[in-house]
Amino acid sequence: MEKIITNSQEKVINKWSPRVLLTRISPLNSGWKGAVIALTLVTLCIYLVQTYYYLGSRGIMDYFTGSVLFLVAILFGTGVIAALLRFAKKMPSRYVWFMLASFCILLLSFLGPLPLTMLLILFIIISSSLLGALLNRFIKGAYQESGKWIKITSGAGAAGTFIVLCVLGTWLIKEGSSEFVVPYPLQTIKTAEHYQMTVDNPAEPGTFDVKSITYSSAPTYRKDLEGEGRLTTETVDGSAFVGNWTSSRTNTFGFGPEAMPLNGMVWYPEGDGPFPLVLIVHGNHLATDNSDPGYAYLGELLASRGYILVSIDENFLNSSPYDELFIFNRLKDENRARGWLLLEHLKTWEEWTSTEGNPFYNKVDMQNIALIGHSRGGEAITTAAAYNELTTYPDDAKIKFDYHFNIRSIISIAGTDMQYKPGGQPIELHNVNYLALHGSHDMDVNSFMGANQYYRTQIMKDSDFFKSYVHIYGANHGQFNTEWGRHDSVGVGNMLFNNAELLLGEEQLQAGEVLISSFLEATLKKNDQYRMVFKDLGYASEWLPETMYISNYWDGDTTMISSYEEDYDPGTTTLSGGGLEGEAFKTWKEDKVKMELTDGQYSAAFLEWDNTDGSSTPTYEVILPDSGVESSELSTLVFSMANNDADHHKKEKTEALVDLTVSVEDENGNVSRLRLSHVSPLLPMFEGVLAKRPFGFFQTIKEPVFQNFAFDMTDFIEGNSDLIPERISKISFVFDQTTKGSILIKDIGIRNELALNLNW
């Protein structure tokens, strides 16, 4: 029987036929077609540049393959979304499709402050689409029959949009618009004559001739390490320390996690030795862009001064967008392997220095070892120091550890923190010299993470260890490594950041050289004159570049009176039997210190005051226990303060520096007073404007960083000769010099150190 199809059924069938569907989504009028073309061209140019940053170092075939595959994936995914949105009938599906694809590509390209990134992407999409639509309509003659007003309006719109896009392009290309200004350089804050040093500048080359050599595991994926005289090492099995090592990563590097190489670049002094051993390790970067050569400047310097420096290759643990499907299949938990590999390198060096015929036979001082880490490497060295003391691997106790090297010193450069926590616990270090360096304009590790580890590093009483950190105004993340340089992001994402307000590269390297070399001289060679640099940066003012610094310091010669970590009672001290009293403050409490991008890891006293009403002068008193604290005329009163007033940038320059009165009182009521500025005024909070102006407010880092103060008891005695330093009973902080403000105070103590061997 013949099947009869009604007219209504035929209409339904025709409506959903492939021919009709293609007809409905295919044609675009001249405006929308121009929008698609313009937006596609702009996005494709940015995409090709960005994928070159990600994949260009792999060679043309990998670059082409990876770019095409990821583009196809984005087009497919956004095409599906565009089809789902077709019901809205607001815009042609093809434009919606390409708009969504452009959004995804631009979002992955401009890796910067999220609000600014979203604003920029929306602006590019809208302006490119508008300009393309208007130009295409002009080309197709759509305005020939239009009125004069419509022609003028359309032409002005196209011209205005083009000009705005040019302005945006110029803004993106420029490094920034502001000059680097240092309100309170160290050299103007620390001017006292007693800061003159008689030792040489630690950033100047020493007396040793420098030689270099490389070592690697065979066969090596690093052809640049195959120089003459190369030493050969065995691979190590790191499969227990990483997860999700893909077959593509194995194909890229030629090995899997079970055969990790031990590769290094070595700079060493020509001589008999033995010389202290220093290992330095980079952080996360593109895996195919080798980061370890970026510390050659330190290798040359330290080797000339009598150290063996090894720059460790851990590039194969870094991000590899090609092998990780950009971000969707990333290597997992590799921070554990970064630290463990350092200890495996030390095992190799221990073997070499005890093997006759090896070029380093009897030349390595394994009793004086330092680890330096940059970025994730800064966390790797703390992991290595923690593993070094353990007998088993915390994440798998079936794996035994037996390292126990004499790691005396570790230096974290812009280090991360707590990306890896053994057994779920933050790493605590004991009796090791610790130094953290960080820049106020770090556009990668934005917050000062190294301060967390500083407070989790415990220095035992009467030990010769010390800890310190230095916060450097204007320093960024990458310029401590010459391969990373001035840009902390990847590719076009760098165009959003404010690189004009950074220290010059050579100045940041100079700061790193002075501080790292001084620290190693003090801790590995026990030259106490260089320890003075960390007690008071004024001793290094002639060596350091002209910028602002905030530093902190603690050592085993100091008796802690109040760390504010013992309980939540604002009236008690850490030292049993002592007390804390406050009067006339707007705010007085103990709480965790909140950094810009991290939860509080340590506590302090919060003090806020306002003397504008002429009432009682705010005073914060530390009452010592009846048993007293060991002190003498050779003692030093120490404490650290942080400016907690985030509104200082709105004030006059003369008000930004906080001053107050510090007094000590003995049991007989004899009092001596000194101003805080006798040592140094309290500096304002460093403000790192990371995003380009005028959009700097989208990412500004401003956080309290503690500044150490040390008042010699002899200065108090000079102010009042009746003062008996052996019977100090009270320490007071009187807020009578600055009208109002907010500060934090922490780590109040008395230092009683042995006489140092200083030749002033």
Side-chain angles (χ1 to χ4, degrees):
M1 182 176 179
E2 186 178 358
K3 186 175 182 180
I4 299 175
I5 301 175
T6 66
N7 289 337
S8 61
Q9 288 174 325
E10 184 177 1
K11 289 180 180 179
V12 171
I13 293 171
N14 289 335
K15 180 180 179 181
W16 294 103
S17 67
R19 180 178 61 81
V20 173
L21 286 174
L22 288 173
T23 302
R24 293 181 65 196
I25 68 172
S26 178
L28 293 171
N29 63 40
S30 59
W32 286 115
K33 185 178 293 184
V36 168
I37 293 172
L39 180 57
T40 300
L41 289 175
V42 171
T43 302
L44 191 59
C45 288
I46 294 173
Y47 174 72
L48 292 175
V49 172
Q50 186 67 14
T51 52
Y52 179 79
Y53 277 102
Y54 282 132
L55 307 174
S57 59
R58 301 183 63 92
I60 188 64
M61 286 305 299
D62 284 353
Y63 169 61
F64 177 77
T65 303
S67 300
V68 170
L69 288 177
F70 191 64
L71 185 60
V72 168
I74 287 181
L75 289 172
F76 176 79
T78 53
V80 172
I81 296 173
L84 294 174
L85 295 175
R86 179 69 178 91
F87 71 91
K89 297 182 180 180
K90 300 295 183 181
M91 294 177 284
S93 298
R94 194 188 306 173
Y95 175 76
V96 174
W97 180 9
F98 278 81
M99 180 187 68
L100 291 173
S102 296
F103 179 85
C104 292
I105 291 171
L106 293 171
L107 184 62
L108 291 172
S109 296
F110 289 102
L111 300 175
L114 186 59
L116 178 56
T117 298
M118 298 297 292
L119 179 65
L120 177 66
I121 291 172
L122 292 175
F123 183 84
I124 290 175
I125 289 174
I126 294 172
S127 58
S128 298
S129 300
L130 178 61
L131 180 62
L134 291 171
L135 290 178
N136 196 268
R137 289 177 64 85
F138 274 114
I139 294 171
K140 297 296 184 181
Y143 295 111
Q144 288 182 355
E145 303 299 326
S146 301
K148 182 178 180 181
W149 175 248
I150 294 178
K151 290 181 179 179
I152 293 174
T153 303
S154 302
T161 306
F162 177 75
I163 292 172
V164 171
L165 280 172
C166 290
V167 171
L168 173 63
T170 303
W171 181 82
L172 287 171
I173 292 171
K174 292 179 65 176
E175 290 283 276
S177 57
S178 300
E179 295 182 359
F180 180 58
V181 178
V182 183
Y184 307 103
L186 173 70
Q187 289 74 8
T188 61
I189 296 295
K190 303 281 190 178
T191 59
E193 293 183 357
H194 70 264
Y195 286 132
Q196 298 297 320
M197 293 280 276
T198 59
V199 291
D200 63 319
N201 183 344
E204 293 294 331
T207 59
F208 290 94
D209 292 331
V210 177
K211 302 181 72 174
S212 63
I213 196 172
T214 61
Y215 64 86
S216 61
S217 300
T220 180
Y221 78 103
R222 290 282 300 274
K223 302 304 179 184
D224 60 315
L225 298 181
E226 292 185 331
E228 183 179 353
R230 173 178 68 99
L231 299 175
T232 302
T233 58
E234 298 293 329
T235 61
V236 292
D237 184 358
S239 54
F241 298 89
V242 296
N244 204 34
W245 185 291
T246 63
S247 58
S248 177
R249 184 179 286 268
T250 297
N251 292 335
T252 293
F253 295 105
F255 57 86
E258 75 287 344
M260 291 185 184
L262 298 179
N263 300 340
M265 307 177 71
V266 187
W267 293 265
Y268 63 99
E270 188 171 14
D272 294 333
F275 302 107
L277 177 63
V278 182
L279 270 56
I280 186 168
V281 62
H282 58 82
N284 192 40
H285 201 64
L286 291 179
T288 49
D289 288 344
N290 296 326
S291 297
D292 46 308
Y295 306 109
Y297 73 100
L298 279 176
E300 295 284 347
L301 171 67
L302 295 178
S304 75
R305 298 182 67 87
Y307 303 88
I308 298 172
L309 184 129
V310 188
S311 186
I312 302 299
D313 167 27
E314 294 187 356
N315 295 283
F316 49 86
L317 295 173
N318 283 353
S319 296
S320 181
Y322 184 90
D323 301 317
E324 299 172 347
L325 300 179
F326 278 81
I327 60 173
F328 301 111
N329 196 25
R330 304 186 69 175
L331 189 66
K332 295 180 180 178
D333 302 322
E334 95 291 344
N335 276 11
R336 301 176 297 182
R338 293 177 189 271
W340 169 77
L341 276 170
L342 290 171
L343 298 175
E344 292 297 310
H345 278 267
L346 288 178
K347 283 175 63 176
T348 298
W349 280 93
E350 186 176 51
E351 178 183 347
W352 283 348
T353 194
S354 59
T355 302
E356 291 190 33
N358 189 284
F360 293 104
Y361 176 58
N362 282 342
K363 289 191 176 182
V364 187
D365 183 359
M366 296 299 294
Q367 298 305 306
N368 281 292
I369 299 171
L371 304 179
I372 306 175
H374 187 181
S375 193
R376 291 194 190 186
E379 188 170 345
I381 60 174
T382 63
T383 301
Y387 283 177
N388 188 56
E389 302 300 322
L390 300 180
T391 57
T392 57
Y393 176 34
D395 297 277
D396 185 354
K398 296 189 299 294
I399 299 175
K400 305 302 179 183
F401 285 165
D402 186 19
Y403 294 110
H404 304 295
F405 296 108
N406 196 28
I407 300 173
R408 286 191 53 83
S409 306
I410 60 176
I411 304 174
S412 171
I413 304 172
T416 61
D417 184 54
M418 293 198 302
Q419 290 188 357
Y420 167 59
K421 294 190 285 186
Q425 299 294 320
I427 291 176
E428 290 194 5
L429 301 178
H430 299 270
N431 275 9
V432 63
N433 297 295
Y434 178 79
L435 172 65
L437 307 179
H438 198 87
S440 64
H441 289 63
D442 192 312
M443 299 168 219
D444 186 353
V445 182
N446 301 145
S447 223
F448 189 4
M449 304 288 190
N452 291 335
Q453 187 61 67
Y454 172 89
Y455 288 109
R456 295 199 310 269
T457 299
Q458 305 303 318
I459 306 297
M460 298 298 105
K461 186 75 170 64
D462 297 325
S463 70
D464 67 344
F465 296 98
F466 73 88
K467 60 181 180 178
S468 180
Y469 63 63
V470 183
H471 199 229
I472 306 169
Y473 184 74
N476 75 328
H477 190 78
Q479 288 187 123
F480 292 110
N481 182 311
T482 58
E483 294 292 320
W484 294 1
R486 202 165 179 84
H487 299 105
D488 290 347
S489 187
V490 180
V492 295
N494 287 302
M495 295 180 175
L496 302 183
F497 288 101
N498 184 28
N499 295 313
E501 296 187 16
L502 299 180
L503 275 172
L504 296 176
E506 56 268 26
E507 291 179 327
Q508 189 163 327
L509 293 178
Q510 177 188 351
E513 288 175 331
V514 168
L515 296 169
I516 291 170
S517 181
S518 294
F519 187 74
L520 296 177
E521 290 284 339
T523 60
L524 297 189
K525 295 188 176 180
K526 299 183 179 179
N527 187 333
D528 285 325
Q529 294 189 67
Y530 288 105
R531 182 183 286 225
M532 298 300 296
V533 168
F534 303 98
K535 290 182 177 179
D536 191 330
L537 276 184
Y539 288 103
S541 60
E542 293 186 0
W543 304 331
L544 289 167
E546 189 169 300
T547 188
M548 295 190 293
Y549 302 84
I550 293 179
S551 65
N552 210 346
Y553 175 90
W554 193 267
D555 63 25
D557 293 325
T558 309
T559 299
M560 179 70 74
I561 297 173
S562 193
S563 67
Y564 301 94
E565 304 292 349
E566 71 283 347
D567 56 34
Y568 48 79
D569 184 353
T572 60
T573 60
T574 306
L575 196 64
S576 179
L580 299 167
E581 297 180 359
E583 180 183 348
F585 287 103
K586 287 182 63 178
T587 300
W588 170 33
K589 65 177 182 177
E590 287 185 19
D591 204 349
K592 293 292 185 182
V593 177
K594 176 67 175 142
M595 302 296 276
E596 186 78 26
L597 299 175
T598 64
D599 294 331
Q601 299 293 315
Y602 44 90
S603 299
F606 288 63
L607 302 173
E608 183 181 5
W609 72 99
D610 187 345
N611 296 337
T612 55
D613 59 2
S615 58
S616 301
T617 302
T619 303
Y620 185 65
E621 296 181 337
V622 182
I623 311 299
L624 301 184
D626 293 337
S627 58
V629 177
E630 179 186 356
S631 63
S632 70
E633 63 179 12
L634 300 178
S635 299
T636 304
L637 168 64
V638 299
F639 54 89
S640 59
M641 284 184 175
N643 200 319
N644 197 40
D645 190 346
D647 294 328
H648 269 317
H649 65 285
K650 300 177 183 178
K651 300 179 180 181
E652 295 296 328
K653 179 177 177 179
T654 54
E655 292 184 275
L657 296 175
V658 173
D659 202 2
L660 52 94
T661 298
V662 181
S663 71
V664 294
E665 181 177 341
D666 65 21
E667 295 174 351
N668 298 330
N670 299 308
V671 179
S672 181
R673 301 176 178 85
L674 292 171
R675 286 191 179 183
L676 188 72
S677 54
H678 174 77
V679 172
S680 168
L682 179 63
L683 292 171
M685 297 171 71
F686 288 0
E687 180 176 18
V689 181
L690 306 189
K692 279 184 184 176
R693 302 179 191 274
F695 303 105
F697 58 87
F698 278 117
Q699 190 166 7
T700 300
I701 302 300
K702 202 168 190 181
E703 52 191 10
V705 177
F706 285 90
Q707 175 182 346
N708 70 295
F709 294 86
F711 284 78
D712 292 337
M713 203 61 69
T714 53
D715 290 344
F716 284 114
I717 295 172
E718 185 176 338
N720 183 353
S721 59
D722 293 330
L723 183 73
I724 304 174
E726 292 81 6
R727 297 183 180 180
I728 297 298
S729 61
K730 183 189 297 183
I731 301 164
S732 299
F733 301 92
V734 184
F735 295 82
D736 57 353
Q737 301 297 318
T738 300
T739 305
K740 60 181 179 179
S742 176
I743 68 153
L744 311 177
I745 189 166
K746 185 171 177 58
D747 291 351
I748 304 171
I750 297 291
R751 182 178 302 140
N752 293 292
E753 58 194 343
L754 297 175
L756 299 178
N757 182 23
L758 303 176
N759 298 314
W760 303 116

